[in-house]
């Protein structure tokens, strides 16, 4: 997990500031920093031998951003690129509440759980309606917060000094993730408590 965060978050920013230190112009430095996420998506497609909607969106957004930046010559077009990913994720989260049988947070959890814990999650989902409310509520909270994050990123990209934005984008993402973890824990405990239950990880017991 830490390696993935380093690659997806720190490395692109490091590439940008490294290129700027070498005298590369802002637009080219932003293009170079965008190559890393694109290569990560390509690697994922090759490894999994399939392309999902998120991967297709990321590749399309990166390609469109590159094309528009060269046409307009405006590096701020590339800075807005950071907001496209959070916007897409926010919309996917909210869309899953009505278009999928289970919310996206459920699917995301399954991707990081062991097979045994996946079975536990599935059993808890069927057994406890309160857990269903928790996961749907958390999905909605995540969706709204990622869309709010998008608005902040667009504002920063269009108004702040260009060389300051990549670092602020990283800081904003870290703050968002910390806030999401805190909010979802409080929300989960509140909903489960109202149902007379206590949750600790995937372990659900009657509240005493």
């Amino acid at each position: 997990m830490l390696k993935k965060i380093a690659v997806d978050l720190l490395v692109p920013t490091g590439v940008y500031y490294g290129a700027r230190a070498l005298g590369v112009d802002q637009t080219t430095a932003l293009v170079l920093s965008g190559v890393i996420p694109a290569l990560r998506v390509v690697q994922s497609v090759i490894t999994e031998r399939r392309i999902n909607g998120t991967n297709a969106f990321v590749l399309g957004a990166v390609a469109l951003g590159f094309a528009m930046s060269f046409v307009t010559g405006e590096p701020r077009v590339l800075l807005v690129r950071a907001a496209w990913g959070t916007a897409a994720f926010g919309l996917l989260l909210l869309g899953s509440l009505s278009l999928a049988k289970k919310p996206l947070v459920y699917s995301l959890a399954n991707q990081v759980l062991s097979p045994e814990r996946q079975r536990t999650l599935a059993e808890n989902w069927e057994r406890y309606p309160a857990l269903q409310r928790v996961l749907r509520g958390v999905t909605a909270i995540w969706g709204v917060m990622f869309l709010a994050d998008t608005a902040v990123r667009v504002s920063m990209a269009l108004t702040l000094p260009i060389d300051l934005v990549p670092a602020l984008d990283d800081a904003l993402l870290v703050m968002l993730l910390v806030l999401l973890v805190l909010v979802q824990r409080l929300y989960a405990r509140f909903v489960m408590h109202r149902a007379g239950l206590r949750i600790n990880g995937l372990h659900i017991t009657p509240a005493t």
Side-chain angles (χ1 to χ4, degrees):
M1 179 63 71
L2 291 177
K3 181 179 179 180
K4 186 178 187 303
I5 293 175
V7 172
D8 293 342
L9 188 66
L10 300 180
V11 173
T13 304
V15 169
Y16 174 79
Y17 287 113
R20 291 290 290 146
L22 294 174
V24 177
D25 64 88
Q26 292 170 331
T27 298
T28 302
L30 287 168
V31 169
L32 292 174
S33 69
V35 170
I36 305 298
L39 290 178
R40 288 282 294 177
V41 172
V42 171
Q43 180 189 31
S44 175
V45 171
I46 293 174
T47 302
E48 300 176 6
R49 297 183 179 180
R50 66 184 179 88
I51 184 167
N52 56 38
T54 303
N55 287 343
F57 182 89
V58 171
L59 285 176
V62 170
L64 179 62
F66 288 170
M68 291 179 63
S69 67
F70 286 119
V71 170
T72 64
E74 176 53 62
R76 292 191 185 276
V77 173
L78 279 171
L79 283 178
V80 176
R81 179 187 63 209
W84 296 346
T86 56
F89 190 50
L91 292 174
L92 285 172
L93 285 160
L94 296 178
S96 72
L97 294 173
S98 58
L99 300 177
K101 293 182 179 180
K102 295 176 181 177
L104 184 56
V105 165
Y106 182 100
S107 302
L108 294 174
N110 260 336
Q111 293 180 16
V112 298
L113 294 175
S114 66
E116 180 179 355
R117 291 173 65 81
Q118 288 178 11
R119 289 191 293 271
T120 300
L121 176 60
E123 292 170 358
N124 287 343
W125 172 270
E126 296 297 333
R127 182 177 180 181
Y128 299 107
L131 180 63
Q132 298 179 22
R133 292 195 295 272
V134 166
L135 293 180
R136 289 194 174 99
V138 168
T139 298
I141 291 170
W142 278 41
V144 170
M145 292 183 71
F146 270 97
L147 291 181
D149 173 89
T150 298
V152 175
R153 289 178 186 276
V154 171
S155 178
M156 291 194 309
L158 298 179
T159 61
L160 296 181
I162 292 173
D163 284 332
L164 181 62
V165 175
L168 290 180
D169 276 338
D170 286 357
L172 180 62
L173 181 58
V174 171
M175 289 188 292
L176 174 65
L177 295 177
V178 171
L179 182 60
L180 284 173
V181 170
L182 293 175
V183 170
Q184 74 179 29
R185 285 184 178 177
L186 292 174
Y187 177 78
R189 290 175 181 175
F190 172 75
V191 173
M192 298 301 280
H193 179 74
R194 291 192 63 183
L197 300 169
R198 177 181 298 172
I199 185 169
N200 182 16
L202 294 179
H203 187 56
I204 299 175
T205 57
T208 57

